[in-house]
Amino acid sequence: MDLDLMAEAFPKILDGLPVTMALAATSLFAGFFLAIGIALLRLSSFKPISAFAYGFVYVFRGTPLLVQIFLIYYGTGQFEVVRESFVWPVLREAWWCAILALTLNTGAYTSEIIRGGILSVPFGQIEAAKACGMNALMRFRRIIFPQAIRQALPAYGNEIILMIKSTSLASTITLLEMTGIARKMISQTYKPLEIFLIAAVFYLTLVFVVTRLVAFIEYRLNPDRRDAVRSVKGKDMTTVAAVGSDVR
């Protein structure tokens, strides 16, 4: 193990952390709102709209993210109509192609997570909201979505982790995020173990922070579970105290 090389690689790979975070945050933010729309379209009773949403989800969940990135970055430039359109200044940039591919991919996966959360809301509560005179938007905002997001949060936490790791694929289209910088250093030193080990530590740290943050949000959004945990802890302490008194 070349410790000097690892010490040299640490600050250089750290320079790619803002790019990795920006890719993940931007795609997750845009993908979340896209996912809400796709999930609502999937639940629509109008068959053509529901079929379109199903096709979108099927395509982006059924093909590898790396292929999607290549199709957007390399494939769109083959069409003259695209090169002459107003979207070409965006699609010719590797940054925006990566953002677009990551957003569409996470939007497809997250839409299914949100759809599952919406379907988990008890139908009786929706009927009660209708009886109270709430319109569809108010029902969704006050009754359906708050409960759906609580149910979907654990699965969405996994999606956040996957997207953070998926940003490494942006290095294949010349973006110098953490993996891109690591690959550049490896091409110069021919020592992949030390450099990729440092990159792995950074990704592992990011995942640890995300898991703790998601667990905290889940804890805060579910007061009934907090009370259950406290009651269990209280019973455990009572049991321990009783056992201790018996021993004495």
Side-chain angles (χ1 to χ4, degrees):
M1 296 289 289
D2 191 341
L3 298 180
D4 292 334
L5 178 60
M6 295 176 70
E8 179 186 351
F10 188 91
K12 291 184 178 180
I13 296 177
L14 183 61
D15 289 340
L17 180 61
V19 180
T20 296
M21 294 298 296
L23 282 170
T26 305
S27 58
L28 285 168
F29 179 79
F32 183 78
F33 290 99
L34 174 64
I36 294 175
I38 295 297
L40 293 177
L41 293 180
R42 284 274 279 130
L43 294 170
S44 174
S45 58
F46 188 54
K47 294 299 182 181
I49 293 179
S50 177
F52 168 78
Y54 174 80
F56 174 87
V57 172
Y58 184 81
V59 168
F60 283 96
R61 290 179 67 196
T63 55
L65 176 57
L66 182 60
V67 174
Q68 296 166 18
I69 292 175
F70 284 165
L71 285 175
I72 294 174
Y73 184 65
Y74 296 111
T76 54
Q78 294 184 0
F79 300 98
E80 185 177 354
V81 64
V82 175
R83 294 197 303 270
E84 295 179 353
S85 68
F86 68 95
V87 298
W88 181 239
V90 174
L91 292 178
R92 70 183 180 186
E93 299 291 337
W95 169 265
W96 293 114
C97 288
I99 289 292
L100 180 59
L102 291 170
T103 297
L104 294 175
N105 186 270
T106 190
Y109 280 95
T110 306
S111 67
E112 288 298 283
I113 295 172
I114 294 176
R115 185 174 71 92
I118 292 174
L119 292 175
S120 70
V121 177
F123 185 71
Q125 294 188 19
I126 301 174
E127 289 297 304
K130 290 180 180 179
C132 291
M134 293 186 183
N135 57 33
L137 180 60
M138 187 177 294
R139 290 196 303 271
F140 182 78
R141 183 169 57 89
R142 292 187 176 182
I143 306 297
I144 300 173
F145 188 72
Q147 296 187 70
I149 201 65
R150 283 199 293 267
Q151 297 293 330
L153 187 58
Y156 187 59
N158 291 334
E159 176 62 19
I160 294 174
I161 292 171
L162 289 174
M163 286 308 299
I164 290 175
K165 294 186 292 185
S166 296
T167 57
S168 61
L169 296 176
S171 64
T172 60
I173 54 172
T174 72
L175 285 181
L176 291 179
E177 39 73 63
M178 291 194 297
T179 302
I181 293 174
R183 291 176 61 183
K184 183 178 179 181
M185 292 188 66
I186 290 169
S187 66
Q188 297 169 348
T189 61
Y190 300 101
K191 293 186 176 181
L193 178 62
E194 293 88 342
I195 296 173
F196 273 143
L197 185 60
I198 295 297
V201 169
F202 278 110
Y203 283 109
L204 188 63
T205 303
L206 285 176
V207 168
F208 176 79
V209 172
V210 168
T211 53
R212 293 299 90 200
L213 182 61
V214 170
F216 175 75
I217 295 174
E218 185 179 3
Y219 178 80
R220 296 296 300 174
L221 290 180
N222 293 275
D224 54 332
R225 297 181 185 177
R226 294 204 302 268
D227 295 338
V229 170
R230 289 170 183 167
S231 64
V232 169
K233 288 182 178 179
K235 291 178 181 179
D236 291 342
M237 292 304 296
T238 303
T239 304
V240 171
V243 171
S245 61
D246 292 341
V247 171
R248 289 196 298 272

